[in-house]
């Protein structure tokens, strides 16, 4: 880039950014002044339980798609290749389990905060621990969420070689964003947050798509990009397939046969297993038990709408993931041989995207502004969701229980003040995060793993293990958090170069393979001394991929919770509050019976049509237990929570 003719943000770029803030504020104020003016907490915190699945699904997606995903994912793909794309496989189970297990349980308990569940299932202490853990997690995450746009913009605002862009002051943008977000969230409540999320999601997709389309054209077209990307071994896993079946399709390119993608070693940072399996636990901690998402499920009109919204998140997340990965590949095609990182044009890989925007798209005035609007939309939609969920849990879990007689209007006013307070805390956090350098994507996902993992564990302990008691839950949660911070900080401090899958040196191209075989044969004869030193003992724990944090920490909470519950006297079936345990075994057994019992309908055609045919079951003989359950369904006595859950979900 020739810095002399470097363009600044043109006026239209600046206007687009301001328009985004104005539009977001307008939507927020509309919901503050319309309807019943957010008078009750049910309206302010649960959007009057009137939400339909489309806006809900876009809001659910936008909540955990912040600027971190917009700049962090392309930077990740640019540096390490498309391994990270495997996280898309975790969205299947990561959304199916919340849709069919967590939503039914939470929705039927008519909760406002997810942590009320912990008091119903265990005791108040567990609820308080859960709430405080959640608050801690979201405050840090908000800091990352609002700081990332500032960090990214730093690339184009005041690096040594680029002149300071007039008028668009960096921290001024962060402050403006934080204040606009706080105001419309504090005034408009959850309904405003959900509808601004919808608007911001459209801006996010439009911004990324526009940049990709123009970027592909500027980078020399798809074929050129594909060639550069294959040459740079940036496509993970696919070369094995291509190479096996079409050895000649790769032409003269040195074909790499990387088995890195399927490496089972848990210390390798990104592999199919850490992302597709470890990612499931990460998704469950976010889309299953995180208050921000649970609050959206609870704000839907019916349980079915909530389940539908969970299903509809899947394509949205896949599109978002695809767009940011493709952007990383386009960036790689442009800068693989002269990376701005190496030329010291930028200081952190998370600044790649903005540098790319300003370098390649400077002549398309309006495009940089659209992308900055996209970046801040991602940020706004996340921190506004975080504010409203923080205000909700603080109100519902920490304040209301001590002032049960508080009148609605005061409670709602207090919720608004809390939202504002959290907004200010978030700006302070942004500055704290500014002081700690490092990849924002990994920072965000590590926070989810370190704090979200133990929370996921304590919810699973309650929902799937009837014998778990409160002592077990508290002990498990504390143990999980201690382990999480020990491993998380241990890994951070020891800075073990966790074996990143940076393509070139981890792969063996075909030519090298022969040499490697020769080398191995020769060394097989001599004592093997050059084995790479595998971390052992504590170091192995510290070098665990951060993508396994959610799985490890939640499993430890469950394990310790069960052991302590067994030691201190497990819960009795009768002590359980109805609806707080999901009958996993019964459901599995029923599912097996349905699958194994081939149904043949006997009866007239119209009987078959209206489904009243007599099922001729030649499956296992029906046990008296099932018959009793059938009876339970037929009589009008209040269903036990097992049958109740079944009846609802089968409806
Ligand atoms: O974008 C962020 O704010 C954090 C990074 C993404 C969080 C997780 S990753 C799995 C899931 N898919 C998403 O798009 N977001 C969440
Ligand atoms: Na967002």
């Amino acid at each position: 880039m020739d810095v002399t003719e470097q363009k600044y943000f043109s006026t239209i770029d600046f206007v687009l950014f301001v328009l985004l803030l104005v539009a977001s504020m307008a939507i927020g104020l509309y919901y503050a002044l319309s309807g019943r003016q957010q008078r009750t907490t049910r309206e302010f915190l649960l959007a009057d339980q009137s939400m339909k699945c489309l806006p809900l699904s876009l809001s659910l997606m936008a909540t955990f798609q912040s600027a971190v995903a917009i700049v962090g994912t392309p930077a990740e793909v640019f540096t390490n290749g498309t391994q990270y794309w495997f996280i898309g496989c975790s969205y299947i189970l990561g959304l199916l389990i919340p849709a069919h297990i967590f939503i039914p349980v939470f929705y039927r308990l008519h909760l406002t905060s997810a942590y009320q569940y912990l008091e119903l299932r265990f005791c108040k202490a567990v609820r308080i621990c859960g709430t405080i853990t959640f608050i801690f997690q979201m405050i840090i995450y908000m800091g990352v969420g609002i700081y990332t746009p500032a960090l990214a913009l730093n690339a184009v605002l005041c690096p040594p070689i680029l002149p300071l862009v007039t008028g668009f002051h960096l921290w001024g943008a962060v402050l403006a964003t934080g204040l606009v977000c706080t105001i419309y969230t504090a005034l408009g409540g959850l309904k405003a947050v959900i509808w601004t999320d919808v608007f911001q999601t459209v801006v996010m997709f439009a911004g990324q798509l526009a940049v990709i389309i123009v970027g592909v054209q500027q980078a020399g077209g798809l074929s050129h990009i594909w060639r550069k990307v294959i040459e740079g071994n940036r496509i993970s896993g696919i070369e094995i397939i291509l190479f096996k079946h079409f050895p000649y399709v790769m032409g003269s390119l040195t074909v790499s046969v990387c088995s890195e993608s399927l490496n089972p070693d848990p210390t390798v940072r990104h592999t199919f297993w850490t992302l597709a399996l470890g990612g499931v636990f990460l998704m469950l901690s976010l889309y299953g038990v995180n208050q921000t998402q649970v609050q959206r499920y609870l704000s839907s009109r019916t349980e079915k709408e909530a389940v539908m919204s969970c299903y509809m998140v899947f394509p949205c997340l896949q599109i978002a993931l695809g767009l940011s990965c493709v952007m990383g590949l386009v960036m790689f095609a442009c800068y693989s041989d002269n990376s701005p990182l190496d030329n010291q044009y930028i200081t952190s890989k998370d600044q790649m995207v903005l540098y790319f925007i300003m370098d390649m798209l400077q002549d398309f005035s309006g495009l940089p502004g659209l992308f900055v609007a996209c970046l801040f939309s991602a940020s706004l939609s996340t921190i506004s969701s975080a504010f409203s969920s923080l205000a909700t849990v603080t109100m519902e879990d920490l304040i209301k229980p001590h002032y049960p007689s508080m009148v609605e209007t005061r409670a709602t006013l207090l919720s608004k003040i809390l939202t504002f307070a959290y907004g200010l805390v978030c700006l302070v956090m942004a500055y704290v995060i500014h002081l700690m350098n490092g990849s924002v994507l990994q920072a965000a996902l590590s926070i989810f793993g370190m704090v979200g993992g133990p929370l996921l564990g304590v919810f699973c302990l309650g929902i799937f293990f009837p014998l778990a008691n409160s002592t077990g839950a508290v002990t498990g949660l504390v143990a999980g958090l201690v382990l999480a911070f020990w491993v998380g900080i241990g890994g951070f401090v020891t800075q073990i170069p966790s074996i990143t899958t940076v393509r070139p040196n981890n792969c063996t191209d075909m030519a090298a393979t022969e040499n490697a075989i020769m080398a191995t044969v020769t060394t097989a004869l001599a004592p093997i001394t050059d084995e790479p030193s595998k971390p052992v003992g504590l170091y192995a724990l510290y070098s665990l991929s951060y993508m396994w944090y959610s799985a490890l920490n939640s499993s430890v909470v469950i394990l310790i919770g069960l052991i302590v519950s067994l030691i201190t006297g497990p819960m009795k079936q009768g002590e359980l509050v109805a609806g707080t345990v999901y009958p996993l075994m019964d459901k599995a057994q029923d599912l097996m019976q349905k699958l194994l019992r081939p149904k043949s309908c006997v009866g007239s055609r119209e009987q078959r049509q209206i489904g009243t045919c007599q099922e001729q079951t030649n499956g296992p003989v029906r046990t008296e237990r099932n018959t009793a359950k059938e009876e339970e369904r037929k009589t009008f006595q209040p269903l036990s929570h097992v049958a109740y859950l079944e009846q609802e979900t089968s409806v």
Side-chain angles (χ1 to χ4, degrees):
M1 172 203 302
D2 170 359
V3 290
T4 48
E5 44 87 31
Q6 163 64 27
K7 288 234 175 67
Y8 301 169
F9 274 139
S10 65
T11 325
I12 184 167
D13 293 330
F14 191 72
V15 163
L16 279 171
F17 173 68
V18 172
L19 268 183
L20 165 79
L21 296 184
V22 167
S24 303
M25 180 66 97
I27 296 171
L29 291 179
Y30 170 75
Y31 284 105
L33 306 174
S34 71
R36 289 202 292 275
Q37 273 101 23
Q38 310 292 335
R39 289 232 180 288
T40 65
T41 49
R42 183 170 177 275
E43 189 180 358
F44 183 73
L45 301 178
L46 289 182
D48 233 357
Q49 289 200 291
S50 61
M51 295 314 295
K52 294 199 176 70
C53 55
L54 181 66
L56 259 187
S57 60
L58 291 178
S59 173
L60 283 164
M61 192 279 294
T63 298
F64 286 117
Q65 265 287 321
S66 75
V68 171
I70 303 285
V71 300
T73 308
E76 166 64 32
V77 171
F78 177 87
T79 320
N80 302 312
T82 54
Q83 298 270 16
Y84 183 74
W85 213 329
F86 283 131
I87 203 167
C89 307
S90 72
Y91 297 170
I92 302 166
L93 273 180
L95 290 167
L96 273 177
I97 294 174
H100 293 287
I101 295 185
F102 292 111
I103 292 180
V105 171
F106 291 145
Y107 200 87
R108 292 177 200 158
L109 291 171
H110 305 296
L111 308 173
T112 304
S113 139
Y115 308 102
Q116 284 168 289
Y117 167 82
L118 295 177
E119 180 170 0
L120 283 172
R121 173 69 178 80
F122 295 117
C123 67
K124 183 178 280 297
V126 181
R127 173 182 184 177
I128 303 292
C129 290
T131 303
I132 291 170
T133 308
F134 169 77
I135 291 174
F136 180 65
Q137 172 191 359
M138 292 311 272
I139 286 181
I140 299 182
Y141 176 51
M142 272 193 314
V144 176
I146 200 164
Y147 166 66
T148 305
L151 166 74
L153 281 174
N154 231 339
V156 296
L157 288 182
C158 39
I161 52 131
L162 288 189
L164 196 63
V165 176
T166 49
F168 195 87
H169 181 63
L170 170 63
W171 284 99
V174 174
L175 214 55
T177 311
L179 287 180
V180 162
C181 177
T182 309
I183 293 169
Y184 76 68
T185 307
L187 295 180
L190 184 67
K191 211 177 264 187
V193 171
I194 288 177
W195 284 107
T196 45
D197 281 356
V198 171
F199 164 67
Q200 287 151 2
T201 301
V202 170
V203 174
M204 274 158 68
F205 282 154
Q208 285 183 296
L209 206 55
V211 164
I212 287 173
I213 292 167
V214 176
V216 164
Q217 181 218 343
Q218 290 292 91
L222 279 175
S223 54
H224 168 75
I225 291 175
W226 179 252
R227 198 165 54 73
K228 298 282 280 186
V229 153
I230 289 285
E231 255 170 18
N233 296 322
R234 262 7 186 221
I235 302 287
S236 312
I238 193 169
E239 68 280 359
I240 299 174
I241 301 158
L242 275 185
F243 179 69
K244 243 184 231 159
H245 302 293
F246 315 99
Y248 307 106
V249 78
M250 313 299 272
S252 59
L253 305 179
T254 51
V255 174
S256 64
V257 185
C258 294
S259 59
E260 260 326 278
S261 309
L262 302 176
N263 183 335
D265 180 351
T267 62
V268 177
R269 182 170 166 275
H270 279 173
T271 64
F272 175 77
W273 310 112
T274 60
L275 291 156
L277 287 188
V280 170
F281 290 85
L282 170 72
M283 286 294 288
L284 293 183
S285 73
L286 296 180
Y287 287 84
V289 300
N290 186 288
Q291 170 63 20
T292 335
Q293 306 299 53
V294 171
Q295 200 169 330
R296 278 157 179 68
Y297 301 140
L298 299 173
S299 73
S300 59
R301 270 180 336 158
T302 64
E303 181 182 319
K304 260 205 175 328
E305 295 269 354
V307 173
M308 272 310 294
S309 66
C310 208
Y311 270 85
M312 289 163 71
V313 167
F314 182 79
C316 307
L317 278 182
Q318 292 297 352
I319 294 169
L321 180 65
L323 286 175
S324 19
C325 288
V326 165
M327 195 183 297
L329 293 177
V330 172
M331 279 186 347
F332 182 78
C334 297
Y335 298 119
S336 55
D337 31 26
N338 70 331
S339 150
L341 260 175
D342 308 343
N343 310 356
Q344 256 83 43
Y345 287 166
I346 51 177
T347 55
S348 116
K349 67 177 190 176
D350 293 319
Q351 297 175 328
M352 274 300 301
V353 175
L354 263 293
Y355 181 87
F356 169 70
I357 301 291
M358 291 313 281
D359 180 25
M360 304 296 282
L361 311 176
Q362 58 197 352
D363 299 334
F364 303 83
S365 66
L367 209 46
L370 176 62
F371 190 78
V372 166
C374 153
L375 194 65
F376 276 91
S377 294
S379 218
L380 276 169
S381 52
T382 295
I383 53 181
S384 57
S385 307
F387 288 167
S388 79
S389 56
L390 281 167
T392 305
V393 298
T394 310
M395 194 66 226
E396 290 298 318
D397 297 314
L398 301 182
I399 294 176
K400 256 191 181 167
H402 299 289
Y403 304 93
S405 57
M406 182 186 279
V407 294
E408 268 305 307
T409 43
R410 269 174 61 84
T412 313
L413 178 68
L414 192 51
S415 304
K416 295 178 180 181
I417 295 168
L418 279 170
T419 309
F420 200 78
Y422 275 117
L424 303 183
V425 166
C426 167
L427 289 171
V428 168
M429 269 317 294
Y431 196 67
V432 168
I433 302 277
H434 170 62
L435 304 176
M436 297 162 36
N437 213 344
S439 147
V440 287
L441 181 65
Q442 186 153 333
L445 296 185
S446 301
I447 296 165
F448 293 149
M450 288 161 62
V451 190
L455 268 179
L456 171 66
V458 79
F459 274 100
C460 291
L461 186 70
I463 291 179
F464 299 121
F465 300 95
L467 64 86
N469 64 25
S470 312
T471 323
V474 173
T475 323
L477 179 59
V478 168
L481 285 169
V482 164
L483 173 80
F485 278 87
W486 180 20
V487 172
I489 294 171
F492 187 74
V493 162
T494 47
Q495 281 297 340
I496 282 199
S498 65
I499 313 157
T500 52
T501 54
V502 180
R503 312 300 300 167
N505 49 19
N506 266 35
C507 292
T508 55
D509 62 27
M510 290 318 289
T513 309
E514 280 74 33
N515 313 347
I517 292 170
M518 288 312 294
T520 314
V521 168
T522 44
T523 40
L525 303 176
I528 293 183
T529 53
D530 61 347
E531 270 301 293
S533 61
K534 273 272 175 239
V536 288
L538 262 192
Y539 275 92
L541 198 57
Y542 291 157
S543 58
L544 181 73
S545 161
Y546 71 95
M547 281 305 297
W548 281 119
Y549 286 175
S550 299
L552 171 75
N553 299 327
S554 49
S555 313
V556 163
V557 169
I558 291 172
L559 197 66
I560 293 195
L562 287 176
I563 292 169
V564 171
S565 299
L566 286 169
I567 294 170
T568 57
M571 285 281 261
K572 309 267 182 311
Q573 189 66 22
E575 290 169 333
L576 286 171
V577 171
T580 56
V581 171
Y582 184 82
L584 198 61
M585 302 319 288
D586 295 350
K587 295 292 287 182
Q589 185 191 3
D590 282 1
L591 197 65
M592 291 310 289
Q593 279 185 356
K594 279 198 189 100
L595 294 176
L596 297 178
R597 187 183 64 208
K599 241 184 276 177
S600 58
C601 247
V602 178
S604 65
R605 217 166 72 83
E606 54 278 356
Q607 270 181 333
R608 262 205 291 277
Q609 261 156 5
I610 54 178
T612 57
C613 67
Q614 178 57 38
E615 275 177 18
Q616 181 180 357
T617 60
N618 41 24
V621 174
R622 302 183 70 67
T623 61
E624 66 288 341
R625 170 182 156 75
N626 290 3
T627 323
K629 225 190 288 181
E630 293 290 331
E631 282 317 304
E632 207 171 59
R633 272 198 202 100
K634 288 188 192 105
T635 56
F636 289 95
Q637 65 191 0
L639 298 173
S640 78
H641 73 277
V642 172
Y644 178 67
L645 274 177
E646 275 177 355
Q647 186 196 43
E648 284 286 300
T649 30
S650 58
V651 154

